[in-house]
Amino acid sequence: QVQLVESGGGLVQPGGSLRLSCAASGSQFSILTMAWYRQAPGKQRELVASITTGGTTTDADSVKGRFAISRDNVKNTVYLQMNNMKPEDTAVYYCNARNYYDIRKRDRYLEFWGQGTLVTVQS
């Protein structure tokens, strides 16, 4: 079982910055595909950004140019740097990990979630 613990959430003003951290344990971190999701009040969960075992990243259109995901395989930690934050970024942010049975096929996997950390963007 993979355990994921998020930290770094809090209150920030519009235009400000925050960096979220997710510490992983219980698995070989280097073979996990990592991602950040978020869920705002009254809205469905959405993918924010992801990073592969090789370091390739993807970003949602809503955060492109403002947010950046990264990973440190020595510290077993994934980060989400959030800049130029907007009120619509307010949400609970969740760390996600996928362990694919076959990284080439990507059709079967084990998935794990953190408890979430609240981010509030408010003047």
Side-chain angles (χ1 to χ4, degrees), residues 8-120:
L11 177 65
V12 65
Q13 295 183 355
S17 299
L18 281 177
R19 189 173 83 155
L20 305 182
S21 299
C22 173
S25 62
S27 185
Q28 189 176 348
F29 182 76
S30 61
I31 54 88
L32 297 174
T33 299
M34 304 298 299
W36 288 96
Y37 288 77
R38 68 184 181 186
Q39 187 164 20
K43 298 185 65 178
Q44 295 184 358
R45 181 190 64 187
E46 65 173 344
L47 176 65
V48 177
S50 65
I51 184 167
T52 69
T53 58
T56 301
T57 62
T58 59
D59 307 297
D61 289 340
S62 59
V63 306
K64 196 160 296 182
R66 301 188 298 117
F67 292 8
I69 190 172
S70 62
R71 67 191 296 160
D72 187 333
N73 288 349
V74 175
K75 296 182 178 180
N76 290 359
T77 301
V78 64
Y79 304 95
L80 184 67
Q81 179 65 49
M82 304 183 291
N83 299 323
N84 191 25
M85 299 190 71
K86 303 176 180 181
E88 49 263 44
D89 294 324
T90 296
V92 176
Y93 285 71
Y94 297 94
C95 185
N96 169 272
R98 286 184 177 183
N99 183 1
Y100 288 97
Y101 283 88
D102 189 330
I103 194 66
R104 298 164 296 179
K105 296 181 180 179
R106 298 183 185 178
D107 58 344
R108 297 173 61 199
Y109 54 85
L110 298 174
E111 190 168 52
F112 307 92
W113 295 91
Q115 286 282 302
T117 184
L118 177 63
V119 173
T120 303

